[in-house]
Amino acid sequence: MEKIPFQIVQDSIDKICGIAEETELEKASEHLFEVQPDLGGFFMEFIEDMSEGAQDLGFMMALILNKAFEDKYKAIRPMTEDEVVTRFEQSEAEFEKYLNMSDDMIVELQEKESGDGQPEILNYMLEELFMSPDLEPALDANEQIHLFIICKFFVDCLNELAKEASPEVIRH
């Protein structure tokens, strides 16, 4: 499966962050919930108890991540609610490890993503949440980790759906 290149990630960031009109942001939001209603709903539910700044950042990241996947893989089906819940339950133990995020874990994640994942997407998330010195608004470490967990989950789900839609994947 082809990976999402840096330029598509950057174009998605530019497009979503360049939205100046409230109506355009509403359209982007509506689009996310049209194409991934259950996954988008799960994402929003996960961040609902966070600070307003964390919610805003998380929501913008979800729009960017979804746009990057849509631009690279045109025909991604919606993930059902049951699939979202099952996948989250299967991933919970892995996500608990992220609560103690370290530089070594980041390196491991980057190595793993370069194999069967989306390394440019992961690098965007890491940069945005952990390495951006001028992160506005400033998030506490707990919110950074929790946003990373839900973004990683969101991306893992979209990546699985993209694998289904990729014609070069041969199933036996």
Side-chain angles (χ1 to χ4, degrees):
M1 182 174 126
E2 283 188 42
K3 298 186 182 328
I4 298 174
F6 171 79
Q7 195 56 55
I8 287 181
V9 177
Q10 189 60 53
D11 291 348
S12 299
I13 293 167
D14 294 345
K15 174 88 173 153
I16 298 299
C17 293
I19 295 175
E21 299 292 322
E22 188 68 34
T23 55
E24 291 301 309
L25 190 58
E26 285 177 20
K27 282 183 194 173
S29 173
E30 288 171 9
H31 177 74
L32 172 64
F33 292 106
E34 285 170 10
V35 297
Q36 289 296 340
D38 295 320
L39 185 56
F42 186 86
F43 188 100
M44 296 308 290
E45 199 174 299
F46 193 92
I47 66 171
E48 72 183 358
D49 293 332
M50 292 184 177
S51 68
E52 186 176 336
Q55 288 179 19
D56 291 347
L57 177 60
F59 181 66
M60 293 300 284
M61 288 180 74
L63 293 176
I64 290 165
L65 296 167
N66 188 65
K67 174 117 182 78
F69 272 89
E70 280 191 328
D71 287 355
K72 178 65 180 170
Y73 311 103
K74 306 297 182 219
I76 296 179
R77 70 171 177 84
M79 186 171 265
T80 67
E81 183 178 1
D82 288 344
E83 289 174 309
V84 172
V85 171
T86 299
R87 180 152 179 101
F88 190 80
E89 288 170 352
Q90 291 170 345
S91 304
E92 246 176 321
E94 179 184 350
F95 294 152
E96 284 182 24
K97 293 179 198 171
Y98 298 157
L99 296 174
N100 300 307
M101 185 67 77
S102 67
D103 289 344
D104 290 340
M105 287 178 77
I106 289 174
V107 170
E108 283 177 35
L109 278 166
Q110 288 172 317
E111 288 171 358
K112 183 178 174 190
E113 283 298 306
S114 66
D116 195 30
Q118 295 292 345
E120 295 299 339
I121 294 281
L122 177 68
N123 288 339
Y124 158 67
M125 293 184 321
L126 291 170
E127 176 71 30
E128 188 67 39
L129 291 170
F130 300 114
M131 299 172 190
S132 183
D134 55 331
L135 181 62
E136 290 294 329
L139 304 179
D140 67 37
N142 193 34
E143 285 185 322
Q144 286 174 308
I145 298 289
H146 281 83
L147 272 182
F148 177 77
I149 288 170
I150 192 58
C151 287
K152 178 80 170 83
F153 175 71
F154 189 76
V155 164
D156 289 349
C157 290
L158 291 175
N159 198 45
E160 283 303 310
L161 295 169
K163 286 178 186 176
E164 288 177 9
S166 294
E168 71 269 16
V169 176
I170 300 171
R171 303 204 190 281
H172 294 281

